[in-house]
Amino acid sequence: MGTMQIRDVPDETERTLKARAEREGKSLTAYLRDLLNEEAATPTLDEVMARIAADEPVPYDPDFVRETLREGRR
């Protein structure tokens, strides 16, 4: 597991994060680790758009739509 160190964090930011961590019953380290893990797990808009662009296009014609609806009702 890696180690990170963040310098030059404004005092007000540090106080706010410490208070939030305390309200959740966590250490500042645990609170920040959870925030970082959540951020890393959330895809960026560019990543989402790239996934959509990589998807196979869905054919659209009336016969295809009718057939798909029929199959879905079975």
Side-chain angles (χ1 to χ4, degrees):
M1 200 172 290
T3 301
M4 295 177 141
Q5 184 176 44
I6 302 171
R7 294 187 174 95
D8 302 322
V9 176
D11 293 336
E12 180 61 27
T13 300
E14 184 180 6
R15 282 192 296 274
T16 299
L17 292 171
K18 281 182 177 179
R20 289 177 183 174
E22 191 174 307
R23 280 195 298 273
E24 290 194 22
K26 297 179 182 179
S27 67
L28 180 58
T29 298
Y31 181 78
L32 293 174
R33 184 184 316 112
D34 290 348
L35 283 177
L36 290 170
N37 286 335
E38 185 177 327
E39 176 64 25
T42 304
T44 66
L45 180 57
D46 287 342
E47 291 167 338
V48 170
M49 296 306 289
R51 287 182 197 166
I52 291 170
D55 283 348
E56 213 173 293
V58 176
Y60 179 76
D61 67 70
D63 292 335
F64 175 79
V65 173
R66 279 194 277 288
E67 184 60 31
T68 301
L69 287 173
R70 266 187 239 118
E71 289 174 6
R73 292 183 183 150
R74 291 180 192 164

